[in-house]
């Protein structure tokens, strides 16, 4: 797959471009529409979590306000109210995680955009050469392995019939 923004080859569908960071939706697998961006899915998740938390909280308050200290209240009404409170708390926590994820995604994209993006005509490597000798001077595993091996004598034992 090629990036439509910068023309970089060998790109994965439904991922970000390795050169420019543009979202590359695979339009073939989604009926011509393409997959939604992760930012859009996270925003939808935040809205859904917020609405469901409000509805669960409203339901719990309505149950307790209607049946609290009334003779027709049964234990099941109080249990349902408690379950609604638990659902509301769970959805608020989930919404908090989604908000944090959105912030991290935004921060990661801005950091990646500054550090990696280079123009197609530049001779600047996006990433380093991959050499680690500047950090740790360790010989390769395969260096001098034939010199380290001693010739193993072959011992043959006669087979017992």
């Amino acid at each position: 797959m090629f990036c439509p923004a910068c023309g970089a080859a060998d790109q994965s569908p439904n991922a970000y471009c390795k050169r420019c960071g543009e979202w590359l939706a695979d339009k073939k697998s989604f009926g011509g529409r393409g997959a939604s961006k992760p930012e859009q899915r996270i925003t939808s998740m935040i809205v859904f979590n917020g609405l469901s938390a409000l509805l669960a909280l409203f339901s719990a308050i309505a149950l307790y306000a209607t049946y609290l200290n009334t003779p027709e209240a049964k234990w099941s009404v109080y249990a349902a109210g408690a379950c609604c409170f638990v659902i509301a708390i769970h959805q608020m926590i989930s919404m908090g995680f989604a908000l944090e994820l959105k912030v991290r995604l935004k921060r990661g994209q801005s950091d990646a955009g500054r550090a990696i993006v280079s123009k197609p005509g530049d001779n600047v490597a996006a990433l380093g050469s991959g050499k680690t000798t500047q950090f740790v001077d360790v010989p390769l595993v395969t260096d001098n392995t034939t010199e380290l091996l001693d010739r193993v004598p072959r011992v043959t034992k006669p087979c017992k019939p």
Side-chain angles (χ1 to χ4, degrees):
M1 180 173 198
F2 291 92
C3 176
C6 68
D10 297 329
Q11 301 291 329
S12 301
N14 295 327
Y16 290 100
C17 175
K18 297 171 189 168
R19 184 186 293 164
C20 69
E22 183 69 27
W23 177 252
L24 304 171
D26 184 16
K27 297 188 186 229
K28 294 176 187 172
S29 65
F30 288 95
R33 295 176 304 157
S36 60
K37 290 183 178 182
E39 296 91 355
Q40 294 168 338
R41 290 192 304 253
I42 291 173
T43 302
S44 300
M45 187 169 62
I46 291 169
V47 169
F48 176 75
N49 286 338
L51 285 175
S52 60
L54 286 174
L55 290 174
L57 192 61
F58 174 76
S59 299
I61 292 171
L63 278 172
Y64 284 131
T66 305
Y67 290 105
L68 191 63
N69 294 327
T70 60
E72 60 268 0
K74 300 201 176 349
W75 67 270
S76 60
V77 173
Y78 295 120
C83 289
C84 287
F85 269 127
V86 169
I87 291 169
I89 291 169
H90 176 270
Q91 291 295 12
M92 284 187 250
I93 291 171
S94 182
M95 187 174 70
F97 287 147
L99 285 169
E100 181 182 349
L101 182 64
K102 189 171 184 175
V103 167
R104 281 185 178 187
L105 184 64
K106 228 178 236 187
R107 187 180 323 131
Q109 286 175 344
S110 66
D111 290 347
R114 274 185 282 136
I116 294 179
V117 174
S118 62
K119 295 175 189 144
D122 290 346
N123 288 330
V124 178
L127 299 174
S129 64
K131 292 183 180 179
T132 58
T133 54
Q134 59 192 359
F135 304 113
V136 180
D137 190 20
V138 178
L140 295 175
V141 176
T142 57
D143 286 351
N144 303 324
T145 53
T146 54
E147 295 171 8
L148 296 175
L149 294 174
D150 292 331
R151 188 163 180 95
V152 179
R154 193 167 208 195
V155 179
T156 56
K157 293 183 181 180
C159 296
K160 293 182 182 180

